[in-house]
Amino acid sequence: MGDAPAAAPGPPPGAAARTRRVRSALAPVGSRSARPRAPDEHGEPSPGVGAALVAILVLAAAVRLWRLGALGANSDEAVYAGQAASIAGVHALEPLFPVFRAHPLLFQTLLSFPYRLGDGLETARTIAAALGVATVYVTFRLGRLLYGSAAGLAAALFMAVMPYHVVVTRQVLLDGPMTLCATATLYLVARFAATARREWLYAAGAMMGLTVLCKETSILLVGAAYVFFALAPEVRLPLRGAVIAGAILAAVAAQFPLVVRLAGASRSGGHYLAWQLFRRPNHGWGFYPSVVPRDIGPLLIAGAVVGLWLLRAERSWRETLLVSWIVVPVAFFELWPVKGYQYLLPVAPAVAVLAGRVVARWPAALPRLAARRLPRRPAIAIPAVLVAGSLLAGTWQRVSPSPSASLLAGSGGVPAGREAGTWIARHVPEGAELMTIGPSMANILAFYGGHRSYALSVSPNPLDRNPSYTPLPNPDFAVRQGEVQYAVWDAFSASRSPYFARRLIRYVERYRGRLVHQETLVMRTADGRSARRAAIAIYVMRP
């Protein structure tokens, strides 16, 4: 009876079409009429695949943990680690780092547990690195689900050594955990598309809610999912299922505004929102095209793009899903005036999977080339190793950098900041306050030094500044009244804000500033040579 013609009495209307869609989604790799699928997705990977995956995860952990504490915290790390310490009740940091700032608190709450045990920044960075390794594993599962184990292993290898992902997940930043949750959401959406089982859609809604609780900008990925369902008619999205998944997402994501309201911090949250919406642009239109492709990997991006054309005969909802996941955030942040180095990190796993797809499928797509004479495994391994080698070379340069006066926010720690802050904690009298060029160094010195710092570049206009920062509208008055006793100059802020650097030095000269401590580094000069220069200078001023 199972082989009866379609016209014979049998399944209800519409069931046959739905069965064909599911079978097409789960068809084995290599079928010209069907779409590629991992034949072992619903079982355990073979021993060879499992051993390769373990080796990739070990490599991912090694590059993320290598010299993890070589540099101290940057400004964002100081803020998020400071929030975690405040949640844990570390009294020295509670007045300097308020719990409620611009972003949700899921990651900071996780980091608060080590602080309750007396651990510090290095433990927090280790947790961030572990979440980065978990993202590599989820990328493998995603690639394996969509295109098979070979594609999954290649995608995981690319993520393991990708400079963009490695650099961010070596820091206490929200974007690493957000990318883990976003990639898990993408995997769950793909499971729903492949099986049409609504429980996967509901799980995707819950995971998307956790993604938003990591960082609110990830709500853009809901738009990416909408674009996917709109452009993939072969994947049917039931209205009732979509409403329930949206309700689950909203219920999970609502935890943050609910906590803010119960804590009585709604006013400060509104100030943050206004500042984010109306703040000035911090980079030009060419920022992302010039920075992000270099760190994702030119060969990786080229492979993903070429694969979309080379394997166009196998086009399915899978490519629509991955491309939608990439295009929507890229288009938004390119148009949005505020651009951060790590903002596009959630697109990296989708790019890696597209590149893994072409690495796994190119011998079949180009049978006339020399690959026809090669066994399948070397034909896949050779390009995978070449691409991964180019990524690893870039990663090695980033995890073993030479100091420079120019730093890109979010791309690493700040040399000498920890050392200067530690000196302040030991030698500056309790209650003394500092004046810095910009808020970045102020955050670092507050985190390590335990003293409040005011930045000259913070605008007195509430619409032009981060609500967490207190301006110093009249520095002369503050120094004469003894409210500010120290001035801190640093080369990194000076390279970004030369006007405020000159202002700080004028105050030092006006109030007979005396150099009491200096941190020096061997830096690259403008002509490419190396020379020892002052990185941070601390002055005591007398009214």
Side-chain angles (χ1 to χ4, degrees):
M1 296 299 292
D3 297 327
R18 178 168 180 172
T19 301
R20 284 195 298 271
R21 286 199 302 270
V22 173
R23 286 177 178 173
S24 174
L26 301 179
V29 174
S31 172
R32 298 284 301 178
S33 61
R35 304 307 179 193
R37 183 196 85 75
D40 57 352
E41 169 55 26
H42 299 290
E44 293 298 323
S46 65
V49 172
L53 178 60
V54 170
I56 291 171
L57 295 177
V58 170
L59 175 62
V63 296
R64 284 162 178 79
L65 297 175
W66 168 257
R67 298 185 64 200
L68 192 60
L71 296 178
N74 58 39
S75 177
D76 288 343
E77 286 189 287
V79 169
Y80 300 136
Q83 283 182 287
S86 295
I87 294 172
V90 178
H91 300 297
L93 294 177
E94 277 185 293
L96 304 174
F97 295 97
V99 171
F100 297 102
R101 294 172 72 99
H103 303 297
L105 298 170
L106 180 61
F107 185 46
Q108 297 91 314
T109 302
L110 174 64
L111 297 182
S112 70
F113 293 103
Y115 272 98
R116 296 177 193 274
L117 301 176
D119 293 327
L121 182 72
E122 288 198 22
T123 301
R125 282 179 170 173
T126 302
I127 293 174
L131 297 180
V133 175
T135 306
V136 174
Y137 174 74
V138 177
T139 301
F140 163 75
R141 293 296 300 268
L142 175 64
R144 180 172 170 238
L145 169 66
L146 296 180
Y147 302 116
S149 293
L153 288 174
L157 176 61
F158 299 153
M159 284 296 294
V161 296
M162 181 189 295
Y164 194 31
H165 192 254
V166 171
V167 167
V168 175
T169 54
R170 283 168 57 90
Q171 303 173 65
V172 183
L173 298 176
L174 306 183
D175 304 84
M178 177 185 71
T179 300
L180 170 60
C181 293
T183 308
T185 302
L186 180 59
Y187 171 80
L188 294 168
V189 171
R191 288 299 296 264
F192 166 74
T195 64
R197 293 173 60 181
R198 295 189 182 187
E199 55 263 36
W200 294 115
L201 183 63
Y202 302 154
M207 185 58 67
M208 188 68 237
L210 292 177
T211 308
V212 174
L213 287 182
C214 288
K215 194 173 183 180
E216 73 286 349
T217 54
S218 61
I219 195 68
L220 293 171
L221 297 176
V222 176
Y226 175 83
V227 170
F228 161 64
F229 286 115
L231 297 180
E234 66 269 35
V235 180
R236 180 176 173 271
L237 178 65
L239 178 60
R240 185 169 181 269
V243 171
I244 294 176
I248 294 173
L249 188 162
V252 175
Q255 302 306 308
F256 177 63
L258 180 62
V259 169
V260 171
R261 185 172 183 84
L262 292 176
S266 299
R267 183 179 178 86
S268 61
H271 290 167
Y272 281 116
L273 179 61
W275 174 67
Q276 291 282 13
L277 292 176
F278 299 107
R279 61 186 291 192
R280 297 176 181 176
N282 58 344
H283 291 290
W285 295 96
F287 175 72
Y288 285 131
S290 63
V291 173
V292 173
R294 176 198 67 197
D295 283 358
I296 290 180
L299 283 181
L300 186 71
I301 295 175
V305 173
V306 169
L308 290 173
W309 178 85
L310 187 66
L311 302 173
R312 60 193 182 278
E314 297 180 354
R315 185 176 59 187
S316 70
W317 58 264
R318 295 166 176 80
E319 294 73 56
T320 304
L321 175 60
L322 296 174
V323 172
S324 299
W325 205 258
I326 295 168
V327 169
V328 170
V330 169
F332 177 87
F333 283 114
E334 180 60 27
L335 296 174
W336 187 251
V338 180
K339 295 173 172 58
Y341 169 78
Q342 66 271 28
Y343 288 2
L344 296 181
L345 191 63
V347 313
V351 177
V353 171
L354 286 174
R357 171 195 181 221
V358 72
V359 165
R361 295 286 298 153
W362 78 273
L366 297 174
R368 294 183 180 181
L369 296 184
R372 189 176 183 180
R373 305 188 190 99
L374 290 174
R376 181 174 180 269
R377 288 185 179 179
I380 294 174
I382 291 173
V385 170
L386 288 176
V387 174
S390 68
L391 296 174
L392 185 58
T395 293
W396 182 255
Q397 293 178 351
R398 303 302 297 274
V399 300
S400 301
S402 57
S404 169
S406 177
L407 293 175
L408 181 61
S411 62
V414 175
R418 172 178 56 195
E419 291 75 11
T422 302
W423 184 91
I424 288 172
R426 293 175 178 172
H427 297 91
V428 172
E430 184 177 354
E433 297 183 341
L434 296 79
M435 176 169 58
T436 64
I437 299 171
S440 295
M441 185 55 63
N443 286 332
I444 295 170
L445 297 181
F447 181 72
Y448 285 112
H451 289 265
R452 190 176 300 278
S453 301
Y454 301 94
L456 287 176
S457 63
V458 172
S459 172
N461 185 347
L463 295 179
D464 291 336
R465 72 168 186 266
N466 186 321
S468 291
Y469 301 146
T470 302
L472 196 62
N474 192 335
D476 285 292
F477 181 80
V479 175
R480 289 172 181 169
Q481 292 296 112
E483 297 174 1
V484 173
Q485 300 87 9
Y486 290 82
V488 181
W489 177 93
D490 71 281
F492 316 110
S493 300
S495 67
R496 295 191 300 266
S497 305
Y499 169 75
F500 291 103
R502 290 192 296 269
R503 279 191 61 187
L504 184 135
I505 293 301
R506 284 201 297 268
Y507 289 123
V508 169
E509 294 171 348
R510 183 178 303 169
Y511 295 105
R512 304 185 302 279
R514 178 170 58 88
L515 181 66
V516 292
H517 184 71
Q518 182 173 263
E519 295 288 343
T520 62
L521 294 171
V522 177
M523 299 185 182
R524 291 193 306 270
T525 59
D527 57 4
R529 294 182 298 177
S530 296
R532 182 164 289 278
R533 300 287 176 84
I536 300 175
I538 303 173
Y539 301 89
V540 61
M541 298 181 294
R542 304 298 180 189

